[in-house]
Amino acid sequence: MSGSGDKTRREGDRQVRQARAAAARLYAVQALFQMEAAGQSADRVQREFLTWRIGREDEDEDIVSAEADQALFTRIVDDAVTWQSKIDQMTDRALVAKWPIGRIDPVLRSVFRAAGAELVTPKTPPKVVITEYVRLAQTFFAEGRESKFVNAVLDHMAREARPDAF
């Protein structure tokens, strides 16, 4: 009898883990954007997010932040900083010559750096990374074609970083 209940519980646990991972990726993109826009260090921005943003509940019911996988958030931001030069070079190679990474929208640049951080470390399958960051692009750019652009660039980056996965 417990078989169907266990399966339902496992499915619920999986959905919670996926939601926490998606939130971690969103926060990582926001943190990378903030670091660049405000010229702040990774340590400072991570402390701010971990203390004041992630999982925050406020007196105002409109201000509730999603719980996130904090270890994933920290790993993405740290790896994006550590591997930024390599990630930016991979991104540049995936872009058209007239559009180097410096000319790309700063939000997209943050998306590429966060995704690149996951692509250069083999913890998450590349197809999952691409899918998750395309969804984020759709969140940030609901009206535009940026999600298709992100998909193409990340596919190129993933094939360079992890050709054995394809």
Side-chain angles (χ1 to χ4, degrees):
M1 293 290 271
S2 67
S4 65
D6 288 343
K7 184 178 179 181
T8 303
R9 186 170 41 255
R10 282 192 308 269
E11 179 65 24
D13 290 346
R14 187 174 68 83
Q15 289 174 345
V16 168
R17 282 192 314 274
Q18 287 175 336
R20 290 173 56 97
R25 290 179 175 105
L26 171 65
Y27 289 131
V29 169
Q30 291 174 334
L32 292 169
F33 176 86
Q34 181 175 326
M35 287 167 51
E36 182 178 347
Q40 297 174 333
S41 72
D43 290 338
R44 179 178 175 176
V45 172
Q46 283 178 332
R47 272 194 313 275
E48 177 184 328
F49 273 75
L50 293 171
T51 304
W52 301 106
R53 293 192 185 189
I54 296 175
R56 177 179 180 214
E57 294 182 26
D58 202 290
E59 295 158 1
D60 184 355
E61 291 180 16
D62 292 341
I63 303 177
V64 177
S65 300
E67 284 292 329
D69 179 335
Q70 293 182 8
L72 178 59
F73 164 78
T74 301
R75 190 178 83 226
I76 292 169
V77 173
D78 286 344
D79 287 349
V81 171
T82 299
W83 299 103
Q84 182 174 332
S85 177
K86 180 178 182 171
I87 294 165
D88 286 356
Q89 289 171 10
M90 285 185 349
T91 306
D92 272 339
R93 285 189 290 273
L95 296 169
V96 179
K98 293 180 181 181
W99 289 98
I101 193 165
R103 289 188 63 192
I104 298 297
D105 179 275
V107 173
L108 287 175
R109 200 166 36 247
S110 297
V111 168
F112 293 142
R113 287 177 176 157
E118 290 198 72
L119 291 171
V120 298
T121 57
K123 292 180 172 56
T124 306
K127 291 179 182 181
V128 172
V129 173
I130 293 168
T131 299
E132 291 298 314
Y133 286 96
V134 166
R135 281 189 195 140
L136 274 177
Q138 290 168 338
T139 301
F140 286 115
F141 301 99
E143 303 290 323
R145 297 183 323 175
E146 287 83 355
S147 62
K148 290 179 183 178
F149 175 62
V150 167
N151 186 51
V153 170
L154 292 182
D155 183 68
H156 187 279
M157 291 172 66
R159 289 175 189 278
E160 178 181 334
R162 310 243 301 272
D164 54 315
F166 291 90

